[in-house]
């Protein structure tokens, strides 16, 4: 199975988690016989195709449990392909240590951060991104007023900050469809001590009233930026960032400005299939000559 066919199969799985994903269906997508497909899939991913599908469905349901409070446990279980909420709760407890309801009340974000490593490893190392210099465009970014919730501390606990920000957005009726979502990244998590890690969770907003969530008014500065569109899971976002700082900067004459990298979250998982999530990466640049 070529890399392109393999990428197609994983994308098909992401887009059809609510459908029947039998061995025969997926083998047909790969243009392989079922006899050879499951062996080739296991050789490339390190896990069987049935397990991969089950974990993909479970991951979506678990993200819904963490960030989509309007969905019931029964609805999540059905969408994940379980016979009922009891079976789903057992699987949730096995992977995350607690039931979905208990996790919603008191999340263990450290365990959460490591729960998807097997799936993320498949995507990142078996399906590497292939960027081209022509994918990067230069724009004049306008000064943008935002509502900002600073995250300070271990990256693995950022889910806690996201949930607080979602709660503020709901109270202020500012869903992503009405107010663009931004992340401001001050630090490289691989090079920063966990307690010193900083990222701001933001959305476009002209003014912010005092609130109990810690959301404050802030501004993303205007200026020239290089923009690279990343399409795919967050586990591969670091690869797109490294392309910008590595190959792209090395090949041209641009110089980074003394301002943090920031992201525009155009669409995101679990609202869309994971391979269809879109993030625009903005690298601030020095003024042109």
């Amino acid at each position: 199975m070529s890399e392109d066919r393999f990428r197609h199969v994983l994308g098909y799985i992401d887009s059809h988690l609510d459908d029947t994903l039998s061995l025969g269906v997926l083998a047909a997508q790969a243009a392989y016989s079922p006899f050879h497909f499951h062996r080739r899939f296991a050789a490339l991913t390190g896990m069987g195709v049935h397990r991969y599908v089950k974990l993909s469905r479970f991951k979506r349901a678990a993200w819904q449990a963490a960030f989509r409070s309007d969905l019931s446990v029964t609805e999540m279980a059905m969408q994940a392909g379980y016979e009922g909420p009891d079976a789903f709760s057992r699987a949730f407890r096995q992977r995350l240590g607690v039931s979905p309801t208990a996790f919603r009340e008191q999340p263990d974000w450290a365990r959460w951060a490591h729960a998807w490593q097997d799936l993320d490893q498949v995507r990142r190392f078996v399906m590497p991104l292939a960027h081209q210099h022509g994918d990067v465009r230069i724009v004049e970014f306008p000064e943008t007023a935002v509502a900002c919730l600073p995250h300070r501390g271990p990256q693995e606990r950022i889910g806690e900050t996201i949930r607080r920000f979602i709660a503020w957005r709901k109270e202020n009726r500012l869903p992503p469809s009405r107010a663009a979502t931004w992340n401001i990244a001050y630090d490289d998590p691989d090079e920063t001590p966990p307690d010193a890690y900083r990222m701001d969770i933001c959305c476009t907003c002209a003014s912010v009233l005092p609130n109990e969530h810690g959301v404050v008014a802030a501004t993303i500065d205007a200026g020239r930026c290089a923009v690279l569109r990343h399409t795919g899971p967050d586990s591969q976002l670091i690869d797109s960032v490294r392309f910008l700082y590595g190959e792209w900067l090395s090949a041209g004459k641009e110089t980074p400005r003394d301002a943090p990298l920031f992201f525009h979250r155009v669409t995101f998982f679990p609202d869309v299939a994971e391979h269809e999530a879109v993030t625009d990466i903005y690298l601030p640049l020095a003024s042109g000559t």
Side-chain angles (χ1 to χ4, degrees), residues 74-282:
T74 299
E75 288 173 314
M76 289 183 287
M78 295 297 102
Q79 291 183 15
Y82 289 86
E83 295 180 357
D86 291 342
F88 174 63
S89 294
R90 285 194 297 270
F92 198 100
R93 187 178 293 107
Q94 182 178 16
R95 183 157 280 249
L96 291 165
V98 295
S99 69
T101 301
F103 184 88
R104 277 178 160 171
E105 294 174 355
Q106 191 171 359
D108 181 348
W109 293 112
R111 187 160 182 169
W112 169 272
H114 298 287
W116 326 113
Q117 287 184 338
D118 42 6
L119 284 177
D120 292 343
Q121 186 175 15
V122 169
R123 295 177 180 278
R124 188 175 179 192
F125 295 106
V126 182
M127 295 176 61
L129 298 172
H131 292 306
Q132 302 294 326
H133 293 155
D135 296 337
V136 181
R137 55 195 175 93
I138 307 296
V139 303
E140 286 289 343
F141 185 81
E143 182 176 274
T144 301
V146 295
C148 171
L149 181 58
H151 173 82
R152 303 294 183 263
Q155 185 189 34
E156 64 189 19
R157 296 186 63 87
I158 202 165
E160 180 179 320
T161 305
I162 292 171
R163 291 222 309 186
R164 286 166 52 206
F165 193 65
I166 289 173
W168 179 86
R169 292 183 79 148
K170 287 182 176 179
E171 289 178 8
N172 289 271
R173 298 180 181 179
L174 287 173
S177 59
R178 289 186 56 199
T181 302
W182 306 90
N183 298 159
I184 304 175
Y186 298 94
D187 303 303
D188 181 344
D190 293 334
E191 303 294 334
T192 306
D195 290 342
Y197 179 73
R198 301 168 300 159
M199 175 176 278
D200 291 345
I201 311 299
C202 310
C203 72
T204 303
C205 184
S207 62
V208 179
L209 297 175
N211 60 88
E212 63 181 3
H213 301 286
V215 176
V216 297
T219 302
I220 303 177
D221 293 337
R224 293 176 71 247
C225 292
V227 185
L228 174 64
R229 173 153 290 191
H230 170 89
T231 302
D234 277 8
S235 59
Q236 292 178 288
L237 194 58
I238 187 61
D239 299 317
S240 294
V241 170
R242 286 172 177 163
F243 168 79
L244 269 177
Y245 276 101
E247 290 183 43
W248 186 79
L249 279 178
S250 298
K253 298 180 180 179
E254 298 289 351
T255 302
R257 180 164 29 108
D258 185 17
L261 191 78
F262 59 98
F263 308 108
H264 174 204
R265 300 287 191 165
V266 181
T267 59
F268 34 81
F269 177 76
D271 296 336
V272 300
E274 195 167 14
H275 78 292
E276 295 175 346
V278 174
T279 301
D280 285 339
I281 306 169
Y282 285 75

Side-chain angles (χ1 to χ4, degrees), residues 27 31-38:
Y32 254 58
S33 71
F35 180 82
H36 293 296
F37 172 74
H38 76 94

